[in-house]
Amino acid sequence: MENFQAFPTSIQAIFTKQWVIYQVPRYQRPYSWKEDKLNAFWEDLNDEENVYFLWTIVLSVEDFWKTWIKEVIDWQQRLLTIAIFYCVVRDILSEIKAHEHKILIHTQYISQKNLDLEDSFRMIAGKNIKKFFEDNILAEGRKDLEKVECHNNEEKLVIKNYSFFKEKIVEQLESITDRNDKIKYLTSLIKEKIDKLELVLIEVANDADAFTFFETLNARWMELAPADVLKNLLFKKIKDKDAEKIEESRNKMCLNLMNWDEQADITKFIRHYWLSTHSHINEKKLYDAIKKDSDNTSIYYTNLLNTLLKESENYKKIIFPKYDDREKKYLNIYKSLYSLSILWVKQPNSIFLSILRILNKPNYDEIYSTKLLIEWFKWIEYFTFCFTTVSGKSPSPLERLYGNFWRQIDTAKDRSELNNILNQFKKELEEKYPTKEWFIADFEKSIIYGSWKQTNIIRYVLEKINYSTDEETFDNVSIEHILPQNPDSKRNLSKDDIVDYVNLIGNLIPLSTKI
């Protein structure tokens, strides 16, 4: 790196620096702090110690003397969360009519007047939530958060986290009756807690140094997700004029990997794609493998991004399978994928990506046969149930076994070659199957009513027993006990009498929710 500076500082110095604005750049990941991190942050604030060392904040100061903006290379999640916290304290002060204190918090930590006497917020969130964050969090005024319309997960988290801090603080205020004591408590949260949070500030001179530092943080200290570092690499290698296109493609990829509020692990997706097209690699070495494979050109990384965007559509079908929007001839494939999502096994995902690529080829059925492709899914589904779900063996070592086949599937020229690969695959799996005696013994111990996960597995087993047709599924059934878990006095049985068998699968029956 050409130039960087490092020195100790505090949160107070960061947020009260005159004229300085902190901006989350386009290549940063979305705001993602959830309740576990908020709880840890709140506990830190209520620790008896007066001074805390949190970590290192990295800023890029290129163009600072022109714009007064410093870009947040690392620590944006905490900075946005702290900005939310300041706003909560300010708004509660407003509610208890502590107007002077409210104005002080707003003008010192949240906003400052520019030469046109307009509000200039000290913290600029990422592009996706910038206006939302300013309108609903940073701006003054009473907030009716229940009426705020959220358009994505980031916005939902912002509102949820604002509510989290407000509930925590209001709960503490309930035990304080005097208004002046309430003001003292609120200001002490900032003066005695937030202001004294200590950290090391590192400022890098330009974007090139920022990207290099970001990679170095990942390699040596911070263990950032490969997906985050890869995004950094894409922004670095693809031409500046295409930056908006990168962000748009990445957002589409994230959208493809969402199911309602559930976001798939993007790093796992990229790794499974890489496994299906290249060599076996663990997650920590993924970024280096991609970088090593490249020819270091803008075209390579543009093509990689376009490929990942396309592959993300297939990956969603694997991890969030749905019956209702699939062609009938593919129904068995998606039933197997749905079953495997219930069985909680991810190791075969790379094989499935390879097979779905075949399904996307023109005239694939004339060359490969749908029936043969379906057989791959069925074999993996049934093997997973016997080997992992019932017998409790770890599926992780199987990833290398699968790895011997997924790249062969991609290069198979016709159904004959694909059939030969499948027969060899079956042979290797058969060698690992448990014996019938072991399977029965393990089944009696493992298929027991209990957790949500176990109930879904029981639903899966009962569906296989009750229906052989392709159309029937147990999507809308309830698993009920024949002999109840809490027998009444008429049965002359106690809980102790039935404890050994009441939750076994033989005492369970699927009923429609209507019944």
Side-chain angles (χ1 to χ4, degrees):
M1 287 184 292
E2 293 178 9
N3 187 31
F4 77 93
Q5 294 180 324
F7 42 87
T9 188
S10 67
I11 288 297
Q12 181 189 36
I14 293 287
F15 273 92
T16 61
K17 195 86 169 176
Q18 191 172 13
W19 303 115
V20 178
I21 296 170
Y22 302 96
Q23 177 174 290
V24 178
R26 64 180 184 272
Y27 54 80
Q28 282 285 19
R29 60 180 167 176
Y31 182 64
S32 59
W33 263 36
K34 296 184 179 178
E35 193 165 323
D36 58 336
K37 292 188 180 294
L38 296 181
N39 274 317
F41 181 79
W42 178 254
E43 287 171 8
D44 282 344
L45 291 183
N46 289 278
D47 195 287
E48 291 181 0
E49 295 291 332
N50 290 324
V51 179
Y52 310 89
F53 176 78
L54 289 182
W55 199 239
T56 303
I57 179 172
V58 184
L59 305 173
S60 172
V61 295
E62 185 177 19
D63 297 329
F64 171 66
W65 297 110
K66 298 177 186 176
T67 63
W68 297 102
I69 291 174
K70 296 184 179 182
E71 288 197 332
V72 185
I73 306 305
D74 184 62
W75 232 63
Q76 60 113 344
Q77 301 284 336
R78 281 186 174 88
L79 284 182
L80 287 172
T81 301
I82 291 169
I84 293 171
F85 188 88
Y86 283 141
C87 293
V88 170
V89 174
R90 175 202 63 193
D91 295 342
I92 296 176
L93 284 166
S94 178
E95 289 173 11
I96 63 173
K97 311 297 184 190
H99 296 301
E100 290 183 8
H101 292 88
K102 177 208 75 171
I103 292 170
L104 194 63
I105 298 296
H106 185 74
T107 55
Q108 279 202 352
Y109 297 92
I110 300 166
S111 178
Q112 53 191 332
K113 296 286 185 185
N114 60 26
L115 293 177
D116 296 321
L117 300 181
E118 296 172 332
D119 261 345
S120 174
F121 294 116
R122 296 180 183 274
M123 190 77 218
I124 301 176
K127 180 181 175 183
N128 287 346
I129 59 167
K130 177 181 179 295
K131 189 174 187 309
F132 181 90
F133 198 77
E134 290 174 355
D135 292 347
N136 297 289
I137 303 297
L138 299 177
E140 290 185 274
R142 189 171 182 84
K143 295 174 172 59
D144 189 354
L145 297 182
E146 293 181 0
K147 293 182 179 179
V148 172
E149 186 177 356
C150 298
H151 300 93
N152 55 51
N153 272 357
E154 278 190 273
E155 293 179 358
K156 289 177 185 176
L157 276 176
V158 167
I159 295 300
K160 189 173 182 180
N161 293 354
Y162 179 99
S163 300
F164 173 92
F165 285 133
K166 186 165 186 179
E167 287 171 11
K168 290 288 186 185
I169 295 172
V170 168
E171 185 180 336
Q172 294 296 315
L173 290 176
E174 286 176 355
S175 61
I176 304 173
T177 54
D178 184 78
R179 177 176 168 275
N180 288 331
D181 288 341
K182 290 187 179 198
I183 294 172
K184 187 176 179 181
Y185 170 75
L186 290 166
T187 55
S188 72
L189 285 174
I190 293 176
K191 185 173 66 174
E192 302 298 329
K193 301 294 182 179
I194 295 283
D195 277 0
K196 292 188 178 182
L197 294 174
E198 294 184 349
L199 57 150
V200 172
L201 172 62
I202 295 176
E203 293 186 343
V204 293
N206 52 52
D207 276 351
D209 284 348
F211 284 126
T212 304
F213 202 94
F214 196 69
E215 290 182 28
T216 306
L217 283 173
N218 178 68
R220 297 180 184 174
W221 304 334
M222 298 193 62
E223 295 296 327
L224 300 174
D228 293 324
V229 191
L230 178 60
K231 182 176 66 168
N232 157 64
L233 185 64
L234 291 172
F235 274 109
K236 183 178 179 180
K237 296 297 183 182
I238 299 177
K239 294 177 181 177
D240 288 343
K241 65 184 178 64
D242 294 325
E244 291 294 325
K245 191 180 292 184
I246 299 172
E247 190 62 29
E248 183 182 347
S249 295
R250 184 190 180 281
N251 289 340
K252 284 181 181 176
M253 184 175 73
C254 290
L255 195 61
N256 284 341
L257 297 174
M258 284 190 66
N259 185 44
W260 298 103
D261 287 342
E262 187 177 358
Q263 174 73 63
D265 187 317
I266 295 175
T267 300
K268 280 187 170 56
F269 152 64
I270 296 174
R271 178 172 177 265
H272 285 142
Y273 158 73
W274 195 258
L275 292 175
S276 75
T277 55
H278 294 72
S279 59
H280 188 276
I281 198 84
N282 64 36
E283 199 169 279
K284 287 186 176 181
K285 295 180 179 179
L286 175 61
Y287 171 75
D288 290 334
I290 294 173
K291 197 172 179 182
K292 185 178 179 181
D293 182 74
S294 78
D295 58 9
N296 214 31
T297 64
S298 174
I299 293 174
Y300 174 89
Y301 288 103
T302 300
N303 291 337
L304 174 61
L305 181 61
N306 291 335
T307 300
L308 289 173
L309 177 58
K310 186 176 180 181
E311 290 287 324
S312 68
E313 296 173 5
N314 283 334
Y315 200 73
K316 180 171 184 175
K317 296 172 186 176
I318 294 169
I319 58 173
F320 300 127
K322 296 179 181 178
Y323 300 145
D324 53 0
D325 58 358
R326 305 299 166 207
E327 293 180 48
K328 188 173 181 180
K329 64 180 178 179
Y330 301 154
L331 183 63
N332 275 316
I333 288 176
Y334 291 97
K335 286 190 71 175
S336 287
L337 289 173
Y338 180 74
S339 297
L340 283 157
S341 71
I342 290 173
L343 302 179
W344 289 75
V345 171
K346 305 296 182 188
Q347 281 70 24
N349 284 356
S350 297
I351 278 188
F352 298 149
L353 272 174
S354 296
I355 295 173
L356 291 181
R357 272 197 292 273
I358 290 177
L359 286 171
N360 289 333
K361 291 182 179 180
N363 305 318
Y364 83 90
D365 201 29
E366 297 173 12
I367 304 170
Y368 299 101
S369 127
T370 304
K371 183 178 180 181
L372 192 59
L373 295 173
I374 288 172
E375 197 169 347
W376 279 92
F377 286 87
K378 287 294 179 188
W379 261 88
I380 293 173
E381 175 193 342
Y382 295 154
F383 175 79
T384 296
F385 176 73
C386 295
F387 183 85
T388 301
T389 307
V390 173
S391 295
K393 299 182 185 299
S394 171
S396 297
L398 295 173
E399 194 168 66
R400 286 192 178 273
L401 184 150
Y402 293 146
N404 294 329
F405 293 96
W406 55 56
R407 286 175 292 279
Q408 294 181 50
I409 296 169
D410 253 348
T411 56
K413 296 181 180 64
D414 52 39
R415 71 180 65 188
S416 174
E417 190 171 336
L418 191 64
N419 189 53
N420 290 337
I421 298 169
L422 176 58
N423 287 334
Q424 181 61 33
F425 180 69
K426 288 179 182 177
K427 184 178 178 181
E428 294 207 24
L429 286 190
E430 283 171 349
E431 293 173 359
K432 296 185 177 295
Y433 259 103
T435 65
K436 183 177 180 180
E437 291 73 20
W438 277 106
F439 175 84
I440 292 171
D442 289 337
F443 187 93
E444 290 177 352
K445 292 184 292 184
S446 60
I447 308 300
I448 297 175
Y449 183 87
S451 66
W452 168 81
K453 181 179 176 181
Q454 280 294 100
T455 303
N456 276 339
I457 291 171
I458 286 169
R459 183 179 284 109
Y460 165 81
V461 174
L462 293 176
E463 180 179 336
K464 296 295 180 186
I465 292 170
N466 281 274
Y467 291 121
S468 59
T469 61
D470 293 339
E471 288 77 17
E472 298 289 352
T473 67
F474 274 13
D475 284 354
N476 297 306
V477 300
S478 175
I479 303 301
E480 300 295 336
H481 290 73
I482 300 170
L483 179 67
Q485 290 173 294
N486 298 300
D488 57 36
S489 57
K490 294 178 182 178
R491 295 180 184 268
N492 295 317
L493 290 170
S494 68
K495 283 188 177 182
D496 290 339
D497 295 325
I498 63 173
V499 67
D500 291 333
Y501 57 86
V502 69
N503 287 324
L504 299 182
I505 196 167
N507 189 49
L508 302 172
I509 188 171
L511 294 177
S512 73
T513 50
K514 184 177 180 181
I515 294 175

